[in-house]
Coordinates of all heavy atoms in Angstrom, one line a residue:
M154 N 2.8 -28.6 23.0 CA 1.6 -27.9 22.6 C 2.0 -26.6 21.9 O 2.9 -25.9 22.3 CB 0.7 -27.6 23.8 CG -0.5 -26.8 23.4 SD -1.9 -26.9 24.5 CE -1.5 -25.9 25.9
T155 N 1.3 -26.4 20.8 CA 1.6 -25.1 20.0 C 0.5 -24.1 20.3 O -0.6 -24.4 20.7 CB 1.6 -25.4 18.5 OG1 0.3 -25.8 18.1 CG2 2.6 -26.5 18.2
D156 N 0.8 -22.9 20.1 CA -0.1 -21.8 20.3 C -1.0 -21.4 19.1 O -1.7 -20.5 19.2 CB 0.7 -20.5 20.8 CG 1.7 -20.1 19.7 OD1 1.6 -20.5 18.6 OD2 2.5 -19.2 20.1
G157 N -0.8 -22.2 18.0 CA -1.6 -21.9 16.8 C -1.0 -20.9 15.9 O -1.4 -20.7 14.8
L158 N 0.0 -20.1 16.4 CA 0.6 -19.1 15.6 C 2.0 -19.6 15.0 O 2.5 -18.9 14.2 CB 0.9 -17.8 16.4 CG -0.4 -17.1 16.9 CD1 0.0 -15.9 17.8 CD2 -1.3 -16.7 15.8
S159 N 2.4 -20.7 15.4 CA 3.7 -21.2 15.0 C 3.7 -21.8 13.6 O 4.7 -22.1 13.0 CB 4.3 -22.2 16.0 OG 3.4 -23.3 16.1
N160 N 2.5 -21.8 13.0 CA 2.4 -22.3 11.6 C 2.4 -21.2 10.6 O 2.0 -21.4 9.4 CB 1.2 -23.2 11.5 CG 1.2 -24.4 12.3 OD1 2.3 -24.9 12.6 ND2 0.1 -25.0 12.7
F161 N 2.8 -20.0 10.9 CA 2.7 -18.9 10.0 C 4.1 -18.2 9.9 O 4.8 -18.1 10.9 CB 1.7 -17.8 10.5 CG 0.3 -18.3 10.5 CD1 -0.3 -18.8 11.7 CD2 -0.5 -18.3 9.4 CE1 -1.6 -19.3 11.7 CE2 -1.8 -18.7 9.3 CZ -2.3 -19.3 10.5
D162 N 4.4 -17.8 8.7 CA 5.6 -17.0 8.5 C 5.1 -15.6 8.0 O 4.3 -15.5 7.1 CB 6.5 -17.6 7.4 CG 7.0 -19.0 7.8 OD1 7.6 -19.1 8.9 OD2 6.8 -19.9 7.0
L163 N 5.7 -14.5 8.6 CA 5.3 -13.2 8.2 C 6.4 -12.5 7.4 O 7.6 -12.6 7.7 CB 5.1 -12.3 9.5 CG 4.1 -12.9 10.5 CD1 4.0 -12.0 11.7 CD2 2.7 -12.9 9.8
V164 N 6.0 -11.9 6.3 CA 6.9 -11.2 5.4 C 6.4 -9.8 5.2 O 5.2 -9.7 4.8 CB 7.1 -12.0 4.1 CG1 8.0 -11.3 3.1 CG2 7.6 -13.4 4.3
G165 N 7.2 -8.8 5.3 CA 6.8 -7.5 5.1 C 7.6 -6.7 4.1 O 8.7 -7.0 3.8
D166 N 7.0 -5.7 3.6 CA 7.6 -4.7 2.7 C 8.4 -5.3 1.6 O 9.7 -5.2 1.6 CB 8.4 -3.7 3.5 CG 7.6 -2.8 4.3 OD1 6.4 -2.5 3.9 OD2 8.1 -2.4 5.4
I167 N 7.8 -5.9 0.6 CA 8.4 -6.6 -0.5 C 8.9 -5.5 -1.5 O 9.9 -5.7 -2.2 CB 7.5 -7.6 -1.2 CG1 7.2 -8.7 -0.2 CG2 8.1 -8.1 -2.5 CD1 6.0 -9.5 -0.5
H168 N 8.1 -4.5 -1.7 CA 8.4 -3.3 -2.6 C 8.7 -3.7 -4.0 O 9.6 -3.2 -4.6 CB 9.6 -2.5 -2.0 CG 9.2 -1.7 -0.8 ND1 8.3 -0.7 -0.7 CD2 9.7 -1.9 0.5 CE1 8.2 -0.3 0.5 NE2 9.0 -0.9 1.3
G169 N 8.1 -4.7 -4.5 CA 8.2 -5.1 -5.9 C 9.5 -5.9 -6.2 O 9.8 -6.1 -7.4
H170 N 10.2 -6.4 -5.2 CA 11.4 -7.2 -5.4 C 11.1 -8.7 -5.5 O 11.3 -9.4 -4.6 CB 12.4 -6.9 -4.3 CG 12.9 -5.5 -4.3 ND1 13.9 -5.0 -5.2 CD2 12.5 -4.4 -3.6 CE1 14.1 -3.8 -5.0 NE2 13.3 -3.3 -4.1
A171 N 10.5 -9.1 -6.7 CA 10.0 -10.4 -6.8 C 11.1 -11.5 -6.7 O 10.9 -12.5 -6.1 CB 9.3 -10.5 -8.2
D172 N 12.3 -11.2 -7.3 CA 13.3 -12.2 -7.3 C 13.8 -12.4 -5.8 O 14.0 -13.6 -5.4 CB 14.5 -11.8 -8.2 CG 14.2 -11.8 -9.6 OD1 13.3 -12.6 -10.0 OD2 14.8 -11.1 -10.4
A173 N 13.9 -11.4 -5.1 CA 14.3 -11.5 -3.7 C 13.3 -12.3 -2.9 O 13.6 -13.1 -2.0 CB 14.6 -10.2 -3.0
L174 N 12.0 -12.0 -3.2 CA 10.9 -12.8 -2.5 C 11.0 -14.2 -2.8 O 10.8 -15.1 -1.9 CB 9.6 -12.2 -2.9 CG 8.3 -13.0 -2.4 CD1 8.3 -13.0 -0.9 CD2 7.1 -12.3 -3.0
K175 N 11.2 -14.6 -4.1 CA 11.3 -16.0 -4.5 C 12.4 -16.7 -3.8 O 12.3 -17.8 -3.3 CB 11.4 -16.1 -6.0 CG 10.2 -15.7 -6.8 CD 10.5 -15.7 -8.3 CE 9.3 -15.1 -9.0 NZ 9.6 -15.0 -10.5
E176 N 13.5 -16.0 -3.7 CA 14.7 -16.6 -3.0 C 14.4 -16.7 -1.5 O 14.7 -17.8 -0.9 CB 15.9 -15.6 -3.2 CG 17.2 -16.2 -2.6 CD 18.4 -15.3 -2.8 OE1 18.4 -14.5 -3.8 OE2 19.4 -15.5 -2.1
L177 N 13.7 -15.8 -0.9 CA 13.4 -15.9 0.5 C 12.4 -17.0 0.8 O 12.7 -17.8 1.7 CB 12.7 -14.6 1.0 CG 12.1 -14.6 2.4 CD1 13.3 -14.7 3.4 CD2 11.3 -13.3 2.7
L178 N 11.4 -17.2 0.0 CA 10.5 -18.3 0.1 C 11.2 -19.6 0.0 O 10.9 -20.5 0.8 CB 9.3 -18.1 -0.9 CG 8.4 -17.0 -0.6 CD1 7.4 -16.9 -1.8 CD2 7.6 -17.1 0.7
S179 N 12.0 -19.7 -1.0 CA 12.8 -21.0 -1.1 C 13.7 -21.2 0.1 O 13.7 -22.4 0.6 CB 13.7 -20.8 -2.4 OG 14.4 -22.0 -2.6
D180 N 14.3 -20.2 0.6 CA 15.2 -20.4 1.8 C 14.4 -20.8 3.0 O 14.9 -21.5 3.9 CB 15.9 -19.1 2.1 CG 17.0 -18.7 1.1 OD1 17.4 -19.6 0.3 OD2 17.5 -17.6 1.2
M181 N 13.1 -20.4 3.0 CA 12.2 -20.7 4.1 C 11.5 -22.1 4.0 O 10.7 -22.5 4.8 CB 11.1 -19.6 4.3 CG 11.7 -18.3 4.7 SD 10.5 -16.9 4.6 CE 9.1 -17.5 5.5
G182 N 11.9 -22.8 2.9 CA 11.3 -24.1 2.7 C 10.1 -24.2 1.8 O 9.5 -25.3 1.7
Y183 N 9.7 -23.1 1.2 CA 8.5 -23.1 0.4 C 8.9 -23.6 -1.0 O 10.0 -23.3 -1.5 CB 7.9 -21.7 0.2 CG 7.1 -21.3 1.5 CD1 7.8 -20.8 2.6 CD2 5.8 -21.5 1.6 CE1 7.2 -20.4 3.7 CE2 5.1 -21.2 2.8 CZ 5.8 -20.6 3.8 OH 5.1 -20.3 5.0
I184 N 8.0 -24.4 -1.6 CA 8.3 -25.1 -2.9 C 7.4 -24.4 -4.0 O 6.2 -24.2 -3.7 CB 8.0 -26.6 -2.8 CG1 8.8 -27.2 -1.7 CG2 8.3 -27.3 -4.2 CD1 10.3 -27.2 -1.9
R185 N 8.0 -24.2 -5.1 CA 7.2 -23.6 -6.3 C 6.1 -24.6 -6.6 O 6.3 -25.8 -6.8 CB 8.1 -23.4 -7.5 CG 7.5 -22.9 -8.7 CD 7.3 -21.4 -8.5 NE 6.7 -20.9 -9.7 CZ 6.4 -19.6 -9.9 NH1 6.6 -18.8 -9.0 NH2 5.9 -19.2 -11.1
H186 N 4.8 -24.1 -6.7 CA 3.7 -24.9 -7.1 C 2.8 -24.1 -8.0 O 2.2 -23.1 -7.5 CB 2.9 -25.3 -5.8 CG 1.7 -26.2 -6.1 ND1 1.9 -27.5 -6.3 CD2 0.4 -25.9 -6.2 CE1 0.7 -28.0 -6.5 NE2 -0.2 -27.0 -6.4
G187 N 2.7 -24.4 -9.3 CA 2.0 -23.6 -10.2 C 2.5 -22.2 -10.3 O 3.7 -22.0 -10.5
R188 N 1.7 -21.2 -10.0 CA 2.1 -19.8 -10.0 C 2.5 -19.3 -8.7 O 2.8 -18.1 -8.5 CB 0.9 -19.0 -10.6 CG 0.6 -19.3 -12.1 CD -0.5 -18.5 -12.6 NE 0.0 -17.1 -12.7 CZ -0.8 -16.1 -12.9 NH1 -2.1 -16.3 -13.2 NH2 -0.3 -14.9 -12.9
G189 N 2.5 -20.2 -7.7 CA 2.8 -19.7 -6.3 C 3.8 -20.6 -5.6 O 4.5 -21.4 -6.3
Y190 N 3.8 -20.6 -4.3 CA 4.6 -21.4 -3.5 C 3.8 -22.0 -2.4 O 2.9 -21.5 -1.9 CB 5.7 -20.5 -2.9 CG 6.8 -20.1 -3.9 CD1 6.6 -19.1 -4.7 CD2 8.0 -20.8 -3.9 CE1 7.5 -18.7 -5.6 CE2 9.0 -20.4 -4.8 CZ 8.7 -19.3 -5.7 OH 9.7 -19.0 -6.6
R191 N 4.2 -23.2 -2.0 CA 3.6 -23.9 -0.9 C 4.6 -24.5 0.1 O 5.7 -24.9 -0.3 CB 2.7 -25.1 -1.4 CG 1.5 -24.6 -2.1 CD 0.6 -25.8 -2.4 NE -0.6 -25.4 -3.0 CZ -1.5 -26.2 -3.5 NH1 -1.3 -27.5 -3.5 NH2 -2.6 -25.7 -4.1
R192 N 4.1 -24.7 1.3 CA 4.9 -25.4 2.3 C 3.9 -26.2 3.2 O 3.0 -25.6 3.7 CB 5.8 -24.5 3.1 CG 6.6 -25.2 4.1 CD 7.6 -24.3 4.8 NE 8.2 -25.1 5.9 CZ 9.0 -24.6 6.8 NH1 9.3 -23.3 6.7 NH2 9.5 -25.3 7.7
Q193 N 4.2 -27.5 3.3 CA 3.3 -28.3 4.1 C 3.2 -27.8 5.5 O 4.2 -27.5 6.2 CB 3.8 -29.7 4.1 CG 2.8 -30.7 4.7 CD 3.2 -32.1 4.6 OE1 4.2 -32.4 3.9 NE2 2.5 -33.0 5.2
N194 N 2.0 -27.6 6.0 CA 1.7 -27.3 7.4 C 2.1 -25.8 7.8 O 2.2 -25.5 8.9 CB 2.3 -28.2 8.4 CG 1.8 -29.6 8.2 OD1 0.6 -29.8 7.9 ND2 2.6 -30.6 8.3
R195 N 2.3 -25.0 6.8 CA 2.7 -23.6 7.1 C 2.0 -22.7 6.1 O 1.7 -23.1 5.0 CB 4.2 -23.4 7.0 CG 5.0 -24.1 8.0 CD 6.4 -23.7 8.2 NE 6.5 -22.3 8.8 CZ 6.3 -22.1 10.1 NH1 6.0 -23.0 11.0 NH2 6.5 -20.8 10.6
K196 N 1.8 -21.4 6.4 CA 1.3 -20.4 5.6 C 2.1 -19.1 5.7 O 2.6 -18.8 6.8 CB -0.1 -20.0 6.0 CG -1.1 -21.2 5.9 CD -2.0 -21.1 4.7 CE -3.1 -22.1 4.8 NZ -3.3 -22.8 3.6
V197 N 2.3 -18.4 4.6 CA 3.0 -17.1 4.7 C 2.0 -16.0 4.6 O 1.0 -16.1 3.9 CB 4.1 -17.0 3.5 CG1 3.4 -17.0 2.2 CG2 5.0 -15.8 3.7
I198 N 2.2 -15.0 5.4 CA 1.3 -13.8 5.5 C 2.2 -12.6 5.1 O 3.2 -12.4 5.7 CB 0.7 -13.7 6.9 CG1 -0.1 -14.9 7.3 CG2 -0.1 -12.4 7.0 CD1 -0.6 -14.9 8.7
F199 N 1.7 -11.9 4.1 CA 2.4 -10.7 3.7 C 1.8 -9.5 4.3 O 0.6 -9.2 4.3 CB 2.3 -10.6 2.2 CG 3.0 -11.7 1.5 CD1 2.3 -12.8 1.0 CD2 4.4 -11.7 1.3 CE1 2.9 -13.8 0.3 CE2 5.1 -12.8 0.7 CZ 4.3 -13.8 0.2
V200 N 2.6 -8.7 5.0 CA 2.2 -7.4 5.6 C 3.1 -6.3 5.0 O 4.2 -6.5 4.6 CB 2.3 -7.5 7.1 CG1 1.4 -8.6 7.7 CG2 3.8 -7.8 7.6
G201 N 2.6 -5.1 5.1 CA 3.4 -4.0 4.6 C 3.2 -3.8 3.1 O 2.2 -4.3 2.5
D202 N 4.1 -3.0 2.5 CA 4.0 -2.6 1.1 C 4.4 -3.8 0.2 O 5.4 -4.4 0.4 CB 4.9 -1.5 0.7 CG 4.5 -0.2 1.5 OD1 3.3 -0.1 1.8 OD2 5.4 0.6 1.8
F203 N 3.5 -4.2 -0.8 CA 3.8 -5.3 -1.7 C 4.5 -4.8 -2.9 O 5.5 -5.3 -3.4 CB 2.5 -6.1 -2.0 CG 2.8 -7.4 -2.5 CD1 3.2 -8.4 -1.7 CD2 2.6 -7.7 -3.9 CE1 3.4 -9.7 -2.2 CE2 2.9 -8.9 -4.4 CZ 3.3 -9.9 -3.5
V204 N 3.8 -3.8 -3.6 CA 4.4 -3.2 -4.8 C 4.2 -1.7 -4.8 O 3.1 -1.2 -4.7 CB 3.8 -3.8 -6.1 CG1 4.2 -5.2 -6.3 CG2 2.3 -3.7 -6.2
D205 N 5.3 -1.0 -4.8 CA 5.2 0.5 -4.9 C 6.5 1.0 -5.4 O 6.7 2.2 -5.7 CB 4.7 1.1 -3.6 CG 5.7 1.1 -2.5 OD1 6.7 0.3 -2.6 OD2 5.6 1.8 -1.5
Q206 N 7.5 0.2 -5.4 CA 8.8 0.6 -5.9 C 9.6 -0.7 -6.3 O 9.1 -1.8 -6.1 CB 9.6 1.4 -4.9 CG 9.8 0.7 -3.6 CD 10.5 1.7 -2.6 OE1 11.3 2.5 -3.0 NE2 10.1 1.6 -1.4
G207 N 10.8 -0.6 -6.8 CA 11.6 -1.8 -7.2 C 11.4 -2.1 -8.6 O 10.5 -1.7 -9.3
Q208 N 12.3 -3.0 -9.1 CA 12.3 -3.3 -10.5 C 11.0 -4.0 -11.0 O 10.6 -3.9 -12.2 CB 13.5 -4.1 -10.9 CG 13.4 -5.5 -11.0 CD 14.7 -6.2 -11.4 OE1 15.8 -5.7 -11.0 NE2 14.7 -7.3 -12.1
D209 N 10.3 -4.8 -10.2 CA 9.1 -5.5 -10.5 C 7.9 -4.9 -10.1 O 6.8 -5.5 -9.9 CB 9.2 -7.0 -10.0 CG 10.4 -7.7 -10.6 OD1 10.6 -7.6 -11.8 OD2 11.1 -8.4 -9.8
A210 N 7.9 -3.6 -9.8 CA 6.7 -2.9 -9.3 C 5.6 -2.5 -10.3 O 4.6 -2.1 -9.9 CB 7.2 -1.6 -8.6
S211 N 5.9 -2.7 -11.5 CA 4.9 -2.3 -12.5 C 3.7 -3.2 -12.4 O 2.7 -3.2 -12.3 CB 5.4 -2.5 -13.9 OG 5.8 -3.8 -14.2

C-alpha cells in the first residue's frame, strides 16, 4: 500500500540553472515532451527559488 506521496518528486532552489534542471529531470526518469518533461505515474513539484540568479535567470 502506498501513502499517496510516493508519486511525487520534490525539487528546490533551481536559481535559473536550466541545464542542470534538465539533466536532473532526465536522471530522475523524466522524458522530454513538447516544452516540458513527463514521467508516467509521477509528478515533480518545484519548491524554493526558481529564477533569481544563474545564467538562465533572465
